[in-house]
């Protein structure tokens, strides 16, 4: 690394897979001498790693490109500008037309070709690569150094599955990420071992439909997600495993049993339902009913009663009536979420729902979103309060705001603030939850905080 090494700035939007991909792009450019910077102003290469899921997300890229154009004019600097991610995949060469500031467009399946495309861009061509048929992309991507891994912290993502064949009528993902494909288990075990050897303690397995994972196993058989997690659980030094996001139709008995049998698998499950109305679920092409979803939750809770369930909801899907929306509130109540992501339906060009009749007025969507969000935030607060007085394990992942203070995560993924002199980032410590904040928990090391358990009555809640 030299003082005048070229600097890379990646800005990611959208889901966690883009966070993972951003690291892969940095890894692909490290052998070319690129070092990462935290600001666009001093970058030699700016990559916007975009999301196409809702209109607002997709439009962000153009406002950001406008800011970059202005920054170039004002500073006289001339960084190369690349658009990557799902907008790149969906819009391809259109982006070059709409934004002359862009030097190259690259879809998620092509990141291993980034160095090559940059060379083309340096020659003044404006390459567009949105090829889908890329074999073994992950094996061809450069591997991060132990130092690069350590600089990214004690938690890491690993993409195990990409793409989606479900074609929910509202969703662009099958078009931007392509058909479902799973990485071979041996690759994933090796990648996780590399992460753990460099200090990572928690790995979250990623996929658009992660529970549809069906990769080639080292034994020549097809491995399920549960089978893969059993193997990863055996890696010494790995403290925690998570996976996200799951589709209800792919949650099978083996995966449910994994929640009971694998101590390293955290009691956390992100299982979107989208709507509580059978009519709307059918129009969305989700292929399950509200009752089937609730029955599934019952079976999962029977295997693992201590579970933080996260949902996703869309309000204002075409044709959604007040009665349909009441069904959504009802399923949210019945499923007893620890939290959920809530969205207003956003018509996406090229998806079937965008052309359906009965589009819901914006004001109605707003009102429904607010009501649902009130319910979810009450549930989130109730879930957090239920933990006060309880002992939990906290993975310390960052220094806190004050000396001696550290920040970490509960098993349920809530941020935790804790004063724990002598403890270090990367430790998993036993702690007692003492209080709840707006979006986090406060805790004290279990040994030194015993008397908290003998305080007010709600401590036993
Ligand atoms: N594969 C996951 C979700 C991937 S997209 C699943 O099947 O559940 C993440 C979330 O974005 C979805 O769960 C949905 O709630 C939301 N979403 C997707 N398309 C949307 C759209 N057109 N408008 C509003 N929200 C949308
Ligand atoms: Fe989109 Fe998820 Fe449906 Fe696939 S299963 S189409 S990613 S919402
Ligand atoms: Fe967005 Fe693509 Fe992820 S559309 S949510 S970045 S898969």
């Amino acid at each position: 690394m030299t003082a005048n090494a070229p600097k890379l700035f990646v800005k990611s939007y959208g889901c966690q897979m883009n966070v993972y991909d951003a690291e892969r792009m940095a890894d692909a450019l490290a052998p070319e001498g690129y070092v990462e910077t935290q600001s666009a102003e001093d970058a030699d290469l700016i990559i916007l790693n975009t999301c196409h899921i809702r209109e607002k997300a997709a439009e962000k890229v153009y406002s950001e490109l406008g800011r970059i154009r202005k920054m170039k004019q004002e500073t006289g600097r001339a960084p190369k500008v690349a658009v990557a991610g799902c907008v790149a995949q969906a819009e391809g060469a259109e982006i070059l037309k709409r934004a002359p500031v862009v030097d190259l467009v690259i879809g998620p399946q092509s990141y291993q070709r980034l160095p090559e495309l940059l060379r083309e861009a340096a020659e003044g061509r404006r390459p567009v690569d949105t090829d889908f048929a890329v074999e073994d992309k992950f094996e061809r991507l450069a591997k991060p150094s132990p130092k690069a891994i350590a600089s990214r912290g004690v938690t890491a993502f690993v993409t195990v599955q990409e793409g989606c064949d479900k074609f929910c009528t509202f969703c662009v993902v099958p078009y931007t990420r392509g058909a479902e494909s799973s990485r071979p288990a041996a690759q994933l075990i090796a990648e996780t071992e590399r992460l753990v050897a460099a200090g990572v303690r928690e790995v979250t397995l990623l996929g658009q439909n992660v529970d549809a994972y069906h990769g080639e196993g080292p034994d020549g058989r097809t491995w399920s997600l549960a089978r893969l997690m059993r193997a990863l659980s055996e890696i010494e030094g790995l403290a925690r495993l998570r996976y996200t996001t799951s589709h209800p139709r792919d949650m099978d008995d083996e995966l449910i049993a994994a929640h009971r049998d694998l101590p390293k698998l955290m009691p956390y499950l992100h299982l979107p339902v989208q709507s509580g109305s059978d009519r709307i679920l059918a129009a969305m092409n989700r292929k399950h009913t509200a009752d089937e979803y609730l029955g599934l939750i019952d079976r999962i809770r029977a295997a693992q009663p201590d579970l933080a369930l996260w949902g996703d909801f869309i309000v204002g899907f075409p044709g959604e009536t007040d009665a349909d929306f009441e069904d959504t509130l009802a399923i949210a109540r019945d499923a007893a979420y620890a939290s959920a992501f809530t969205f207003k339906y956003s018509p996406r060009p090229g998806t079937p729902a965008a052309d359906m009749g009965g589009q819901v007025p914006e004001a109605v969507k707003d009102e429904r979103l607010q009501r649902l969000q009130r319910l979810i935030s009450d549930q989130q607060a109730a879930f957090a309060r239920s933990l006060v007085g309880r002992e939990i394990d906290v993975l310390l992942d960052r220094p806190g705001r004050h000396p001696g203070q550290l920040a970490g995560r509960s098993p349920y993924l809530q941020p935790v603030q804790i004063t724990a002199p002598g403890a270090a980032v990367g430790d998993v410590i036993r702690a007692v939850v003492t209080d709840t904040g707006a979006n986090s928990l406060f805790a004290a090391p279990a040994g030194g905080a015993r008397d908290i358990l003998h305080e007010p009555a709600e401590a036993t809640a």
Side-chain angles (χ1 to χ4, degrees), residues 32 135 201 267 431:
E32 310 282 309
E135 284 287 306
R201 305 300 318 278

Side-chain angles (χ1 to χ4, degrees), residues 211 243 246-252 255-256 269 271 296 300:
D211 51 348
Y243 62 91
S246 320
H247 191 289
R249 283 182 52 89
D250 291 314
M251 280 302 295
D252 59 12
L255 187 52
I256 293 172
L269 178 64
L271 196 66
L296 175 61
I300 299 165

Side-chain angles (χ1 to χ4, degrees), residues 13-15 17-18 50-53 86 172-173 176-177 208:
Y13 304 83
C15 64
M17 199 170 286
N18 268 5
T50 61
C51 174
H52 203 240
I53 201 85
C86 290
V172 294
V173 170
T176 64
R177 293 279 172 167
Q208 265 85 37

Side-chain angles (χ1 to χ4, degrees), residues 326-372:
E326 291 301 326
D327 289 343
T328 292
L329 292 174
I331 203 169
R333 258 179 242 118
D334 292 346
Y337 290 101
S339 194
F341 299 106
T342 52
F343 308 104
K344 283 190 285 182
Y345 169 69
S346 169
R348 306 306 292 129
T351 60
D355 299 324
M356 287 179 185
Q359 299 287 330
V360 175
E362 210 53 29
V364 176
K365 288 185 198 170
D366 280 329
E367 200 252 338
R368 289 179 186 165
L369 184 71
Q370 276 182 27
R371 283 182 66 196
L372 180 59

Side-chain angles (χ1 to χ4, degrees), residues 262-421:
L262 297 179
K264 289 184 184 179
L265 179 57
M266 290 295 100
Y268 167 91
L269 178 64
H270 183 189
L271 196 66
V273 70
Q274 316 297 356
S275 169
S277 152
D278 288 345
R279 226 171 50 79
I280 297 296
L281 285 169
M284 286 176 163
N285 194 30
R286 294 292 289 183
K287 297 205 170 83
H288 64 75
T289 63
D291 276 350
E292 281 162 355
Y293 180 84
L294 289 171
L296 175 61
I297 300 300
D298 285 345
R299 286 192 289 135
I300 299 165
R301 288 211 161 108
Q304 171 57 284
D306 177 34
L307 186 84
L309 180 69
W310 278 62
D312 280 6
F313 289 94
I314 296 176
V315 300
F317 185 83
E320 186 186 73
T321 61
D322 285 338
D324 293 319
F325 177 65
E326 291 301 326
D327 289 343
T328 292
L329 292 174
I331 203 169
R333 258 179 242 118
D334 292 346
Y337 290 101
S339 194
F341 299 106
T342 52
F343 308 104
K344 283 190 285 182
Y345 169 69
S346 169
R348 306 306 292 129
T351 60
D355 299 324
M356 287 179 185
Q359 299 287 330
V360 175
E362 210 53 29
V364 176
K365 288 185 198 170
D366 280 329
E367 200 252 338
R368 289 179 186 165
L369 184 71
Q370 276 182 27
R371 283 182 66 196
L372 180 59
Q373 279 177 341
R374 265 201 301 277
L375 171 61
I376 297 292
S377 63
D378 288 351
Q379 287 182 323
Q380 187 172 338
F383 180 75
R385 274 197 309 275
S386 76
L387 298 173
V388 174
R390 264 185 57 189
E391 284 194 10
I392 58 169
D393 287 335
V394 180
L395 169 60
L396 303 172
D397 59 8
R398 257 159 325 124
R401 291 188 208 116
H402 308 292
Q405 220 186 41
L406 289 137
R409 291 278 175 174
S410 77
Y412 318 104
L413 208 57
Q414 298 135 306
V416 183
Q417 305 291 334
I418 189 165
T419 302

